[in-house]
Amino acid sequence: MCGIVGISGLSPVNQSVYDALLLLQHRGQDAAGIATSKDNHFSMFKAHGLVRDVFRTRNMRSLPGNTGIGQVRYPTAGSSDSIDEAQPFYVNAPFGITFAHNGNLTNPDELREQLFNIDKRHINTNSDSEVLLNIFAHELQLASDKQLNDHEMIFTAIKALHKRVRGAYAVVAEITGFGMVGFRDVNGIRPLCLGQLKTEAGTEYMLASESVALEGLGFELVRDIAPGEAVFIDEQKNVFSEQCSDASKLNPCIFEYVYFARPDSTIDGVNVYNARLKMGQYLAAKVAKELRLSDIDVVMPIPDTSRPVAMELAARLGLDYREGFIKNRYVGRTFIMPGQSVRKKSVRQKLNAMSVEFKDKNILLVDDSIVRGTTSREIVDMARAAGAKKVFFASAAPAVRFPNVYGIDMPTQQELIAHNRTTEEVCAEIGADGLVYQGLEDLKKAVWDINPNIANFDTSCFDGIYVTGDIDQAYLDRLSAQRGKPIEKTSGSMSVNMGVEND
Ligand SMILES: O=P(O)(O)OC[C@H]1O[C@H](OP(=O)(O)OP(=O)(O)O)[C@H](O)[C@@H]1O
Ligand SMILES: NC(=O)CC[C@H](N)C(=O)O
Ligand SMILES: [Mg+2]
């Protein structure tokens, strides 16, 4: 998952884009970048690392302008090593475009071929985002020949893009001399929302992956961008929007609610914290059915994401809620780290078990999800080492059995702990005394209870049903062969060979 932001402001935006990226850091920890625009000139800086480590004062000073976009990256195509794949991306024609993408395309190979053979465009990286930008640029070039208004030209290009591109994409882009654009794929798999801030000088606008970024900067949430919709904010701050596909249907990724998004965000009308409380409620009922409650002394979350789930579950079951794992606040999210060895090592660096809470007790550990089992394997072990008698485990998400192709980096079935294993076998694998998974229908209900207007969800990693309808076993086999090799980060070096230079 990546985090994207764009601000069309009335005063310099470099600091605001930086602040927004800090608020979206949980969506991507590998690289960060900002591109601003002033007097038809783009300035850009991007590098590996966390936002706070990437941008020094001198870099911030080199980002002038009242409009800017930014991205924090969690790679799902290409690799975490390549700085050329960090975002934003830039192309010089037509007009000059900077571009930030969250999601993952499912037909990038076909598009690459078309771009090379038909559109005569060169793609210089393995990133699907560069492919998407070039499709946008090509379609914008064609639309610019049609004597349309600015917004009509942009929406015409996006309509054509939706016809060619499949997969997940939430995008913010800046077009020199025109303004800022945001759009979302026809299923609305990845989130994108619009906010505004009324100032004495006029209204400023912001597009962001999550509402927490708007709120943190004093913007009010106007609305989510609809699936297939595009929003264009011109340089005079006029806002235009249009539905650019007749095949649009809201199918957001349910994993955003389970894990990715911050609890204080509201996505597609659903406050994430409330959704997690609801998950706790449904999971409590399942735990009551499958485990003997008299066997459980305390309920414990695995920090951070599962806290609301565990809290609500404990309350519903009338059990004590305790925090036995202390989280090192300087270690980030382990699941989105690149490479299994660093993820494994980081679980122990991140969480420490306090024996005062574990000694001679039967514990029910609650996590939001079990994906590769990296966390749960270590945690059960740590709980026992800290003196727990029995260790039960409950997951707010069902068993993850299928690869994700829409922006979560789990490209092979083999890496998933629940692949080819029953619940009992996963339980044995993580070393627990009992394991309860949320049911998929209950997970959906947890979100639907809050917004029944969501058509359906992308739940592919649980049930193997891919909302874009273009994924079959042959596709998954190819993906596994391409990306199945372990990705280990080798260097943090910084250099941008192409595009707008870091300066
Ligand atoms: O089975 P796994 O492959 O370990 O993946 C699942 C775990 O990874 C995530 O935690 P993470 O440390 O990324 O972030 P958090 O602090 O937000 O919980 C998630 O919350 C689970 O704890
Ligand atoms: N998780 C994401 O949104 C990744 C964006 C893009 N596919 C990349 O790899 O950079
Ligand atoms: Mg976690």
Side-chain angles (χ1 to χ4, degrees):
M1 211 54 33
C2 299
I4 56 173
V5 60
I7 301 178
S8 177
L10 294 157
S11 58
V13 292
N14 51 356
Q15 189 61 46
S16 308
V17 175
Y18 175 99
D19 293 344
L21 290 182
L22 266 186
L23 289 160
L24 296 173
Q25 185 78 81
H26 59 284
R27 299 183 68 84
Q29 301 171 163
D30 269 37
I34 296 177
T36 55
S37 168
K38 184 182 182 191
D39 302 333
N40 290 345
H41 177 81
F42 284 129
S43 308
M44 180 154 80
F45 187 81
K46 55 184 181 180
H48 287 309
L50 298 174
V51 176
R52 62 160 191 251
D53 301 322
V54 163
F55 299 98
R56 302 269 161 232
T57 309
R58 62 177 180 279
N59 312 129
M60 295 300 286
R61 282 208 201 102
S62 72
L63 294 167
N66 294 354
T67 311
I69 68 171
Q71 207 248 19
V72 282
R73 184 172 187 229
Y74 159 55
T76 57
S79 82
S80 57
D81 275 346
S82 169
I83 189 63
D84 293 334
E85 291 170 359
Q87 301 195 32
F89 273 99
Y90 164 73
V91 282
N92 63 352
F95 314 118
I97 305 168
T98 53
F99 190 91
H101 165 219
N102 169 211
N104 198 66
L105 309 189
T106 53
N107 63 338
D109 297 342
E110 177 190 324
L111 294 172
R112 250 172 225 282
E113 255 184 62
Q114 293 173 5
L115 281 168
F116 184 74
N117 293 321
I118 306 169
D119 304 342
K120 312 288 183 226
R121 282 180 169 265
H122 173 69
I123 302 298
N124 205 50
T125 71
N126 290 321
S127 164
D128 59 330
S129 310
E130 192 190 1
V131 170
L132 184 61
L133 165 57
N134 277 273
I135 297 284
F136 179 56
H138 178 78
E139 296 303 336
L140 196 61
Q141 178 92 55
L142 293 184
S144 70
D145 293 335
K146 291 189 179 157
Q147 322 272 315
L148 301 165
N149 294 331
D150 292 356
H151 63 277
E152 284 171 359
M153 170 187 77
I154 290 162
F155 296 149
T156 300
I158 295 168
K159 282 174 197 167
L161 178 149
H162 286 323
K163 291 208 174 94
R164 294 179 70 180
V165 179
R166 293 196 303 269
Y169 46 97
V171 167
V172 291
E174 172 71 16
I175 309 170
T176 316
F178 291 87
M180 181 170 288
V181 186
F183 56 92
R184 218 172 154 190
D185 68 72
V186 298
N187 288 293
I189 297 175
R190 294 289 152 228
L192 187 66
C193 59
L194 173 70
Q196 66 179 20
L197 175 64
K198 295 202 164 112
T199 71
E200 280 178 6
T203 305
E204 303 189 320
Y205 293 94
M206 179 166 169
L207 289 157
S209 296
E210 292 185 31
S211 64
V212 65
L214 306 177
E215 217 176 287
L217 274 81
F219 283 64
E220 59 174 302
L221 173 65
V222 175
R223 62 186 180 84
D224 295 283
I225 308 304
E229 190 194 16
V231 172
F232 168 55
I233 301 140
D234 73 12
E235 294 190 333
Q236 290 67 48
K237 313 295 168 203
N238 299 306
V239 181
F240 302 88
S241 64
E242 191 166 319
Q243 176 50 255
C244 294
S245 169
D246 45 25
S248 299
K249 202 169 174 193
L250 184 58
N251 287 306
C253 169
I254 207 157
F255 219 69
E256 290 280 345
Y257 299 103
V258 170
Y259 167 69
F260 274 109
R262 258 178 64 146
D264 43 348
S265 282
T266 296
I267 296 178
D268 291 322
V270 178
N271 172 263
V272 176
Y273 178 78
N274 274 340
R276 290 185 187 155
L277 292 180
K278 281 275 174 194
M279 288 173 208
Q281 186 183 318
Y282 284 108
L283 187 58
K286 189 106 183 295
V287 164
K289 252 191 249 154
E290 296 185 11
L291 298 177
R292 248 205 328 261
L293 294 183
S294 54
D295 280 351
I296 302 169
D297 298 321
V298 289
V299 173
M300 251 182 223
I302 297 175
D304 261 336
T305 301
S306 68
R307 282 202 170 108
V309 179
M311 203 169 64
E312 182 66 11
L313 179 145
R316 293 271 158 175
L317 297 179
L319 294 167
D320 275 351
Y321 171 88
R322 293 298 175 99
E323 297 252 356
F325 290 103
I326 301 303
K327 179 177 166 291
N328 180 339
R329 67 179 74 221
Y330 302 102
V331 178
R333 296 184 114 180
T334 55
F335 178 71
I336 61 172
M337 288 174 181
Q340 187 58 13
S341 57
V342 63
R343 285 192 284 261
K344 192 161 183 276
K345 190 169 144 231
S346 300
V347 171
R348 293 231 173 212
Q349 286 177 335
K350 173 170 163 168
L351 296 167
N352 188 34
M354 287 190 298
S355 47
V356 280
E357 277 299 352
F358 288 91
K359 195 147 182 41
D360 299 327
K361 285 186 193 159
N362 295 329
I363 317 280
L364 172 60
L365 298 175
V366 178
D367 209 348
D368 52 270
S369 58
I370 304 171
V371 183
R372 298 181 183 92
T374 323
T375 309
S376 40
R377 279 188 179 109
E378 297 291 325
I379 288 295
V380 171
D381 218 41
M382 284 159 74
R384 292 202 197 280
K389 275 199 299 192
K390 284 198 169 151
V391 182
F392 303 100
F393 207 101
S395 162
V400 175
R401 295 210 156 91
F402 299 89
N404 188 283
V405 296
Y406 301 128
I408 307 175
D409 189 33
M410 33 196 224
T412 64
Q413 275 187 302
Q414 287 64 31
E415 71 194 289
L416 307 172
I417 193 173
H419 171 60
N420 270 346
R421 285 195 179 100
T422 62
T423 301
E424 292 68 33
E425 286 166 343
V426 176
C427 181
E429 190 63 29
I430 65 173
D433 295 295
L435 169 62
V436 179
Y437 276 119
Q438 183 93 276
L440 182 53
E441 283 314 305
D442 283 347
L443 174 60
K444 290 193 203 179
K445 271 194 258 163
V447 187
W448 263 329
D449 282 351
I450 304 170
N451 182 3
N453 295 324
I454 295 177
N456 210 336
F457 300 94
D458 170 61
T459 52
S460 50
C461 57
F462 307 118
D463 58 11
I465 299 169
Y466 294 86
V467 288
T468 49
D470 55 345
I471 308 299
D472 55 15
Q473 194 53 46
Y475 181 99
L476 295 177
D477 291 345
R478 266 198 321 277
L479 178 71
S480 167
Q482 273 169 16
R483 286 188 62 80
K485 293 166 234 93
I487 312 163
E488 300 293 344
K489 201 173 168 82
T490 52
S491 83
S493 71
M494 185 190 86
S495 82
V496 174
N497 300 322
M498 303 294 288
V500 177
E501 294 291 323
N502 282 348
D503 49 16

